[in-house]
Amino acid sequence: MESEKHKNYALPIIVMIFLFGMISFVTNLASPMGDILKYQFQVPNWMGTLGVFANFIAYAIMGYPAGNMLQKLGYKKTALIAIAVGFVGVGIQTLSGTAQSFGVYLLGAFIAGFSMCLLNTVVNPMLNKLGGGGNKGNQLIQAGGSFNSLCGTAVIILTGLLIPEGIKNAQISNVFPLMYAALAIFAFAFVVIALTKIPENEPAPEKKIKETSKYGPLSFRHFVLGSVAIFVYVGVEVGVPNILQKWLQNPDLNVLGDGVNVEAIAGSVAATYWLLMLVGRLLGAMVGSKVSARSMLTVVSSVGLLLTLTAMFIPEIPVNMPVFNGAEGFALVSVPLNALLVLVGLCTSVMWGGIFNLAVEGLGKYTEKASGIFMALVCGGGILPLLQNGIVDLAGGVGYLTSYWVIVVGAAYILFYAMVGSKNVNKDIPVD
């Protein structure tokens, strides 16, 4: 009976992991798109980040309703709605290239953000549920995150390859192939999900539906602090490679020197961050059933904090790094030692699964609504990078490394959550 159960759950697990990749592909496209928009429309750094902001701020609006939708409609219907909305959002972004409109692009990014929020709301609790919660649930989320990182790595590298004429001359139309690929992914996923049997939660008895409770997800201190940790974490995850890529490819600073494909190298360095997230998540998936989420989160937040501080204050000493140098392929290229910031990807790789696992542990019947609130706080992925880019602008367009104080504060909070804030002090609240 048990083996049959696992056999039936194999396909839903694969589908959910596939959706994890879709989230990363569409979301990570917004960051390099911001660099293109900055120069195409001649706007400051912070405005170039508005695409990322629009994508993530949708989480703040849709997060809680998404949790209610999941509870009412179930996993499959919610996923199908999310995919359809995503197709529309990416379609509008594609049209913005033809219309040459910054506003149309932001509208498309905002609508795509609604889709990503809904998908995240479905994928995380579903993978946690299929894994049975606890360390096993965390392990499965890490496995899904690995595919997420792979797609994130691919989209950053491909964007750099599609603008060989230089970032100053790039247009939205240069990345149309990626837009078309995203549309195809959505269409394919819709068919797959529609034809896949997804296990749903058993509907609660009518009498229980009518019952009201004075408690909710926000009654749990560890969940409230965990929601803040997710807000901070997503901002850290997006901000580290976003600012690093902007710094390396800034034509006015000429950080990488002359005679190289700056966009391809900067994109490749940023993609290394996402690639290391893939490595970290694979490692996390292997040890996730043996090491507690709390221990794992404590270690990676500590190391991430130290790496960021080191990268901020070391001299810009040139070192060789294997990157993709456009038409020349992979080669050793001289980059500043500060680019060791990419190693932070190993640390952020397992933070999402760890924070989510700790925050919903012991919530019982409140888990679905908690997931919606959780998703609302993902808007930190748009707000913290916007703050970082604002710091760059305030420093006259040269304060890229200074802006990493935002990351330092974020990593310190996540460390606090792992060590103190994640403990469930509300075990007296009934959750059945």
Side-chain angles (χ1 to χ4, degrees), residues 201-247:
N201 287 334
E202 290 294 328
E206 186 67 25
K207 187 169 72 173
K208 285 192 174 182
I209 294 176
K210 293 180 180 179
E211 289 179 359
T212 58
S213 173
K214 63 179 180 179
Y215 299 111
L218 298 179
S219 301
F220 296 84
R221 190 197 73 164
H222 73 289
F223 173 73
V224 173
L225 296 178
S227 297
V228 176
I230 276 295
F231 175 90
V232 170
Y233 157 70
V234 183
V236 168
E237 180 195 67
V238 176
V240 170
N242 179 284
I243 294 295
L244 180 60
Q245 184 173 357
K246 282 178 166 56
W247 177 52

Side-chain angles (χ1 to χ4, degrees), residues 144-407:
S146 300
F147 189 64
N148 179 279
S149 298
L150 182 62
C151 290
T153 303
V155 75
I156 298 295
I157 292 178
L158 290 172
T159 304
L161 292 176
L162 290 172
I163 48 175
E165 70 276 16
I167 192 67
K168 278 193 171 183
N169 302 313
Q171 301 286 318
I172 296 177
S173 56
N174 290 133
V175 293
F176 271 178
L178 295 184
M179 299 288 197
Y180 297 147
L183 290 172
I185 290 172
F186 276 120
F188 177 70
F190 190 91
V191 174
V192 172
I193 297 296
L195 298 177
T196 300
K197 183 178 180 181
I198 305 292
E200 303 282 358
N201 287 334
E202 290 294 328
E206 186 67 25
K207 187 169 72 173
K208 285 192 174 182
I209 294 176
K210 293 180 180 179
E211 289 179 359
T212 58
S213 173
K214 63 179 180 179
Y215 299 111
L218 298 179
S219 301
F220 296 84
R221 190 197 73 164
H222 73 289
F223 173 73
V224 173
L225 296 178
S227 297
V228 176
I230 276 295
F231 175 90
V232 170
Y233 157 70
V234 183
V236 168
E237 180 195 67
V238 176
V240 170
N242 179 284
I243 294 295
L244 180 60
Q245 184 173 357
K246 282 178 166 56
W247 177 52
L248 293 177
Q249 70 182 18
N250 189 308
D252 299 320
L253 298 180
N254 196 27
V255 176
L256 295 175
D258 301 318
V260 295
N261 187 331
V262 174
E263 284 70 34
I265 294 174
S268 184
V269 172
T272 302
Y273 170 88
W274 298 106
L275 183 62
L276 289 175
M277 283 192 71
L278 168 62
V279 174
R281 281 169 171 168
L282 289 173
L283 293 173
M286 287 191 290
V287 303
S289 60
K290 301 183 181 72
V291 180
S292 71
R294 181 173 288 108
S295 298
M296 193 183 295
L297 192 59
T298 299
V299 171
V300 296
S301 56
S302 300
V303 175
L305 180 60
L306 290 174
L307 283 172
T308 304
L309 285 169
T310 302
M312 289 173 64
F313 292 105
I314 58 175
E316 294 180 21
I317 303 171
V319 294
N320 287 330
M321 178 177 177
V323 298
F324 193 82
N325 190 14
E328 297 180 19
F330 281 94
L332 288 174
V333 176
S334 178
V335 300
L337 183 57
N338 315 75
L340 65 80
L341 278 163
V342 298
L343 295 176
V344 177
L346 285 169
C347 303
T348 56
S349 62
V350 295
M351 286 183 179
W352 174 276
I355 295 172
F356 183 85
N357 183 266
L358 290 171
V360 302
E361 194 71 29
L363 262 60
K365 65 182 179 182
Y366 303 111
T367 301
E368 280 77 12
K369 283 196 174 184
S371 181
I373 298 173
F374 221 60
M375 288 306 108
L377 273 299
V378 171
C379 65
I383 296 174
L384 266 63
L386 190 67
L387 176 59
Q388 274 192 271
N389 280 277
I391 292 173
V392 172
D393 288 330
L394 287 173
V398 295
Y400 289 93
L401 293 177
T402 303
S403 75
Y404 278 92
W405 279 114
V406 175
I407 305 299

Side-chain angles (χ1 to χ4, degrees), residues 74-88:
Y75 293 106
K76 183 170 182 175
K77 289 182 180 178
T78 304
L80 290 174
I81 292 172
I83 293 168
V85 172
F87 189 91
V88 173

Side-chain angles (χ1 to χ4, degrees), residues 87-110:
F87 189 91
V88 173
V90 174
I92 291 176
Q93 291 180 66
T94 306
L95 290 175
S96 71
T98 304
Q100 293 291 300
S101 172
F102 187 57
V104 172
Y105 171 77
L106 293 181
L107 175 62
F110 183 63

